[in-house]
Amino acid sequence: MTAVTTASYQPPAQTKVLLAEDEESFVDALVVGLAREGFDVTVARDGNEAIRLFDEVAPDLILLDLMLPKLSGIDVCRAIRARSSVPIIMVTAKGTEIDTVVGLEVGADDYVAKPYRLRELVARMRAVLRRTPQSEPAPAPDPVGRARPGAPAPASGTQLEAGGIVVDTDRHLVFVRGEEVHLRRKEFELLTLLMENVGRVLTRDVLIDRVWGADYYGDTKTLDVHIKRLRSHLEEDPSSPRLITTIRGVGYRFDEPRP
Ligand code: CA
């Protein structure tokens, strides 16, 4: 007896998503999954179609595969950026970090690497939509992008562990190579966010948005100051960091160094 629930669930205003993707397996899974999350999905199978449908549909957000037939995701991104500031999330194949950085340079707002979980993708979609003024009223923003009401808890539980650092997000404790350290609130949130994304570049915008909030218009040097403090707590040699890597002009990444 769930027919009523299904029929009555209708978000107030559906967010229109243009999905530019040529791999059938991804398309099928995404169309179903995103519709269930309340998104109205239009699919483009190649780069030219993506641009044509962008004009036709006027989407609120674009999921843009990097490797598309006819016109690459980079070219599509450039073309759309020339006339719109619509949020664009670039979808890359695993291990193509260079392309990812180029993607961010041509104006993508964020990226996800295949294979990804639907939950992760939707969280990123909501995050970029939150940063956009015309976005739907999203659920209460979670400062570090963790599970929000209705979303399943992260599979990893409440403990994050990488590179000799352990973060207990429930008890708000941090251990560096076995020893507890005391971090300030923002340092803790920043570290949690970085460690939830080990090996991924997080852009300055994403870090500032999720730790300080979308309405933060202060000095962006604040981020660097916090990174510096984090390094002084975490790194064996803060002057040559191995855990938190600077990606010049883009952002930061938490790395798990080889022993
Ligand atoms: Ca592709």
Side-chain angles (χ1 to χ4, degrees):
M1 296 296 283
T2 54
V4 175
T5 331
T6 314
S8 64
Y9 178 70
Q10 201 59 249
Q14 283 212 317
T15 303
K16 288 186 280 181
V17 175
L18 176 60
L19 169 64
E21 172 64 78
D22 60 313
E23 273 169 69
E24 283 308 317
S25 56
F26 274 95
V27 171
D28 293 346
L30 275 179
V31 167
V32 172
L34 292 178
R36 206 184 299 132
E37 295 287 334
F39 294 103
D40 175 9
V41 185
T42 303
V43 182
R45 311 281 174 163
D46 64 56
N48 290 337
E49 196 181 23
I51 292 177
R52 184 173 61 74
L53 285 175
F54 169 74
D55 290 329
E56 217 173 285
V57 175
D60 302 299
L61 183 146
I62 302 175
L63 289 176
L64 184 56
D65 185 32
L66 198 69
M67 306 291 281
L68 285 172
K70 295 186 186 171
L71 198 61
S72 81
I74 296 284
D75 291 332
V76 173
C77 188
R78 222 177 249 134
I80 289 175
R81 264 296 163 268
R83 50 198 204 254
S84 165
S85 59
V86 63
I88 298 176
I89 298 180
M90 203 71 106
V91 181
T92 68
K94 208 176 170 63
T96 51
E97 190 172 283
I98 299 301
D99 289 343
T100 298
V101 171
V102 173
L104 294 170
E105 276 171 2
V106 297
D109 296 87
D110 199 358
Y111 72 94
V112 292
K114 289 175 182 173
Y116 50 79
R117 288 162 186 268
L118 180 69
R119 181 153 46 82
E120 181 197 354
L121 177 69
V122 169
R124 281 173 195 285
M125 290 168 69
R126 298 223 159 104
V128 294
L129 286 167
R130 271 207 303 276
R131 299 205 296 268
T132 325
Q134 73 273 19
S135 72
E136 55 163 356
D142 180 315
V144 288
R146 271 176 286 128
R148 43 183 71 82
S156 55
T158 60
Q159 193 142 310
L160 301 164
E161 193 169 353
I165 313 297
V166 176
V167 173
D168 185 325
T169 53
D170 263 10
R171 295 190 295 154
H172 230 271
L173 300 177
V174 178
F175 298 89
V176 177
R177 292 173 288 280
E179 291 205 17
E180 189 180 352
V181 297
H182 298 279
L183 300 184
R184 299 176 198 198
R185 187 180 171 77
K186 293 296 181 196
E187 293 165 7
F188 181 87
E189 289 178 6
L190 190 57
L191 177 62
T192 304
L193 184 55
L194 285 164
M195 286 187 61
E196 282 173 336
N197 294 278
V198 171
R200 293 174 50 104
V201 183
L202 295 178
T203 64
R204 300 181 61 85
D205 278 354
V206 165
L207 290 167
I208 290 169
D209 178 32
R210 296 206 201 159
V211 176
W212 282 271
D215 51 355
Y216 180 80
Y217 293 110
D219 189 351
T220 62
K221 285 273 179 290
T222 302
L223 173 62
D224 305 297
V225 170
H226 280 74
I227 291 283
K228 196 175 170 190
R229 281 209 216 111
L230 265 186
R231 281 174 172 156
S232 75
H233 285 293
L234 309 182
E235 302 278 358
E236 280 176 299
D237 177 6
S239 64
S240 102
R242 300 177 71 218
L243 296 171
I244 301 177
T245 303
T246 304
I247 312 300
R248 203 163 288 281
V250 180
Y252 293 98
R253 182 185 63 213
F254 193 97
D255 283 320
E256 192 148 28
R258 289 163 212 279

